[in-house]
Amino acid sequence: MPNKSAPNRTKEPAKRAPKLPQLERTRSRVIDAAAALLLETALRDLTIEHVAQRSGIARSTIYRHWDNIAELAIDAFDAALGPNPPPPDLGDIRSDLIALYKRFAKILRAPIWRTVLPSLLEASMKDARFRQLLNGMVDARRADERLIFARAIERGEIARDAPVEWALDAVTGAYYHRLLLSGADVSEKGMAEWLVDAALAQIKLHPAEI
């Protein structure tokens, strides 16, 4: 016989776990569509509507992941570049940096660099959102380069107060100058060695200083 005094308890619906794989697939489709459009059209003409049409993902869904086209464009560019390979670890800073920049020269051959990077730089000059997002992406990708210098400091090759950012700017800037301005070969023989040696000459400790 049922207990009439027992309270009538309504069973609460079970909470659904986040559909992470589905969310990841959605983000991937949107990013792939945005990256493809960046290669085909000017950044200034890129809109959420265009990305929605290309990806088949509703605008409302896209806006749940990105607040604006600036965020999506930077994420698409970053994803199209792919993850950074592990930094070289050959035992000394010179060898590590030469290997790193020779690899960088090969990476710069990808069409997205010449096609998309100039428009992102232009946007960053005019829009603070783009500038902050692009600077953040570049800074994050520079972590591996800084790691090479950190290891060199621990080995006693360079001083702890060495101007690491200056050295990185000096070498990396030469590659960007050729890529975006002069059009000269970024893989020219001997270039990586010369640039690395020039930078290290300013900061590497001499035997008498060790």
Side-chain angles (χ1 to χ4, degrees):
M1 188 176 206
N3 185 357
K4 294 182 179 180
S5 62
N8 183 17
R9 294 175 180 169
T10 304
K11 186 178 180 181
E12 295 183 1
K15 293 183 178 180
R16 293 183 179 180
K19 298 180 180 179
L20 293 179
Q22 182 177 335
L23 291 176
E24 291 170 1
R25 285 194 298 269
T26 297
R27 285 183 62 88
S28 179
R29 284 176 58 183
V30 173
I31 286 175
D32 288 348
L37 287 168
L38 282 172
L39 287 168
E40 298 172 9
T41 186
L43 175 63
R44 61 180 174 272
D45 296 327
L46 183 68
T47 66
I48 295 294
E49 179 64 33
H50 291 151
V51 177
Q53 292 173 357
R54 175 64 70 92
S55 65
I57 303 298
R59 289 176 56 189
S60 58
T61 300
I62 295 176
Y63 276 116
R64 283 201 289 269
H65 294 270
W66 294 274
D67 289 336
N68 49 62
I69 196 64
E71 290 183 2
L72 177 52
I74 295 297
D75 276 0
F77 179 66
D78 192 33
L81 297 181
N84 279 343
D89 190 2
L90 302 175
D92 67 274
I93 187 172
R94 182 178 187 272
S95 299
D96 287 348
L97 288 175
I98 290 173
L100 177 80
Y101 283 107
K102 284 186 174 182
R103 185 175 70 193
F104 184 49
K106 293 179 180 179
I107 291 172
L108 288 177
R109 294 174 186 168
I112 194 167
W113 285 96
R114 289 185 184 275
T115 305
V116 180
L117 184 57
S119 60
L120 290 178
L121 291 172
E122 180 185 6
S124 72
M125 296 295 104
K126 301 176 180 178
D127 189 324
R129 293 176 304 174
F130 269 102
R131 182 165 57 252
Q132 183 178 5
L133 291 165
L134 183 60
N135 289 349
M137 189 206 82
V138 171
D139 187 67
R141 282 185 169 269
R142 201 174 240 197
D144 288 344
E145 298 167 74
R146 295 189 182 105
L147 177 59
I148 290 176
F149 281 83
R151 290 194 307 234
I153 289 172
E154 292 305 312
R155 288 193 297 257
E157 293 181 278
I158 60 177
R160 292 191 175 275
D161 61 351
V164 171
E165 298 301 318
W166 290 3
L168 291 174
D169 287 345
V171 182
T172 308
Y175 284 90
Y176 285 128
H177 175 84
R178 288 192 163 213
L179 176 74
L180 301 172
L181 295 175
S182 73
D185 182 11
V186 294
S187 300
E188 187 174 346
K189 185 177 180 179
M191 177 178 167
E193 290 86 349
W194 192 93
L195 289 171
V196 168
D197 286 341
L200 290 181
Q202 303 299 318
I203 63 174
K204 194 168 183 180
L205 296 177
H206 297 291
E209 299 176 274
I210 299 176

